């Protein structure tokens, strides 16, 4: 959900709740006026019965919220105190004390701590991506998310290799990784085959189910040995990301094994 006004947000929330293909919802609060954030959460929670990820994306991570670490921490704590958050997105590269405070508050509130890191200017080398995912998990993330921008399909393949490496070393870890744009499409269609697993397992709300999807991979797939040209068989959940004027909507399927 990505809206600049509460009436627009309500319409989006109703559409997300009604969409059978949407297994969960992410609420992006940063496009809204900061004074509306608690009201926005209450509004969405009154409409959406599906698991809800709540995100304040700051400008330094590609969002619209111009918040320093202290204000970012206080806003997250207020949302958790109000309730209704199933998973809180916590920006991994903010101040370490802020990350710890939000992680601990999320756990006390019964919400999953979803640590995230975003690179909109390129793709770090594979070792750096592996270290980022391990770092998030070592710091207590229930879910570790890494999003990068590829300059070519080799960058996208590097992300998949990094994801697979962390998964092989920590098979129980919950990972969400994606390479953005056209060159990264294969990671969003086939990424589950390399590692991502059960991203909803720590959410409170029930009635989660795997749902069949048509084959999505073709001759250009970067993982032919895994997908064999047919794509993954089951996906849950389906992630929708909506940004004004940018590839609307984009579907990020993640395999649930």
């Amino acid at each position: 959900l990505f809206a600049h006004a509460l009436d627009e947000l309500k319409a989006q929330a109703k559409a997300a709740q009604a969409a059978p293909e949407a297994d969960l919802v992410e609420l992006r609060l940063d496009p809204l006026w900061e004074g509306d954030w608690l009201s926005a959460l209450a509004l969405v929670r009154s409409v959406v019965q599906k698991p809800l990820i709540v995100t304040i994306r700051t400008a330094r991570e590609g969002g619209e919220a111009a918040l320093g670490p202290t204000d970012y921490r206080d806003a997250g704590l207020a949302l958790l105190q109000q309730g209704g958050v199933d998973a809180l997105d916590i920006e991994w590269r903010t101040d370490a004390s802020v990350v710890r405070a939000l992680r601990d508050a999320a756990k006390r509130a019964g919400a999953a701590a979803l640590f995230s890191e975003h690179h909109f200017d390129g793709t770090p080398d594979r070792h750096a991506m592996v270290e980022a995912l391990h770092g998030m998990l070592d710091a207590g993330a229930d879910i570790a998310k890494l999003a990068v921008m590829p300059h070519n399909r080799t960058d996208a393949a590097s992300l998949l290799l990094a994801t697979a490496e962390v998964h092989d070393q920590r098979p129980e870890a919950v990972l969400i990784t994606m390479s953005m744009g056209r060159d990264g499409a294969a990671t969003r269609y086939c990424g589950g085959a390399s590692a991502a697993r059960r991203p909803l397992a720590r959410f409170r709300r029930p009635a989660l189910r795997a749902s069949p999807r048509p084959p999505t991979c073709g001759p250009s797939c970067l993982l032919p040995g895994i997908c064999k040209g047919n794509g993954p068989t089951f996906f849950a959940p389906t992630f929708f990301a909506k940004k004004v004027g940018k590839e609307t909507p984009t579907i990020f399927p993640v395999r649930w094994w």
Side-chain angles (χ1 to χ4, degrees):
L1 309 179
F2 191 92
H4 289 86
L6 291 178
D7 55 350
E8 180 187 1
L9 179 64
K10 186 174 183 178
Q12 290 184 10
K14 288 181 176 179
Q17 177 61 27
E21 65 272 25
D23 295 308
L24 62 75
V25 175
E26 179 178 14
L27 169 60
R28 280 280 300 272
L29 289 170
D30 49 288
L32 295 163
W33 176 54
E34 185 178 348
D36 282 340
W37 287 353
L38 294 178
S39 298
L41 173 58
L43 184 157
V44 170
R45 193 75 280 179
S46 71
V47 173
V48 172
Q49 302 304 311
K50 299 174 181 181
L52 183 65
I53 300 173
V54 177
T55 300
I56 301 170
R57 184 66 65 234
T58 65
R60 61 183 171 272
E61 290 284 333
E64 299 190 12
L67 295 180
T70 300
D71 290 337
Y72 176 74
R73 178 202 63 200
D74 292 346
L77 293 175
L79 292 164
L80 290 166
Q81 184 175 13
Q82 176 169 295
V85 178
D86 294 313
L88 180 70
D89 185 294
I90 302 170
E91 294 177 351
W92 164 238
R93 293 187 293 180
T94 193
D95 186 87
S97 64
V98 171
V99 172
R100 290 193 297 270
L102 291 174
R103 174 203 63 197
D104 294 345
K107 293 179 185 297
R108 289 193 300 270
L114 191 164
F115 288 14
S116 65
E117 179 174 321
H118 306 79
H119 296 268
F120 291 95
D121 56 350
T123 299
D125 64 51
R126 182 160 62 94
H127 175 74
M129 291 189 286
V130 167
E131 289 302 305
L133 291 169
H134 278 308
M136 287 186 261
L137 296 168
D138 289 342
D142 297 307
I143 304 169
K145 174 193 170 188
L146 177 64
V148 300
M149 181 65 73
H151 294 301
N152 48 54
R153 287 186 294 175
T154 300
D155 283 347
S158 182
L159 174 72
L160 292 177
L161 288 171
T163 307
E165 182 176 338
V166 175
H167 174 67
D168 287 345
Q169 296 171 0
R170 307 173 84 147
E172 295 305 313
V174 183
L175 308 174
I176 300 175
T177 64
M178 66 190 74
S179 187
M180 296 175 273
R182 183 181 299 274
D183 285 333
T187 70
R188 304 193 296 274
Y189 295 136
C190 304
S194 65
R197 55 177 285 139
R198 299 198 309 275
L200 299 187
R202 298 192 59 89
F203 291 177
R204 296 194 302 270
R205 298 177 193 279
L208 306 178
R209 52 173 171 71
S211 53
R213 295 285 183 265
T216 52
C217 295
S220 62
C221 178
L222 295 176
L223 291 175
I226 297 176
C227 297
K228 304 185 186 302
N230 295 319
T233 304
F234 291 93
F235 292 100
T238 299
F239 289 83
F240 290 90
K242 183 173 182 180
K243 284 193 175 183
V244 177
K246 293 185 179 181
E247 297 181 1
T248 307
T250 300
I251 301 175
F252 301 126
V254 178
R255 180 126 178 215
W256 186 9
W257 292 354

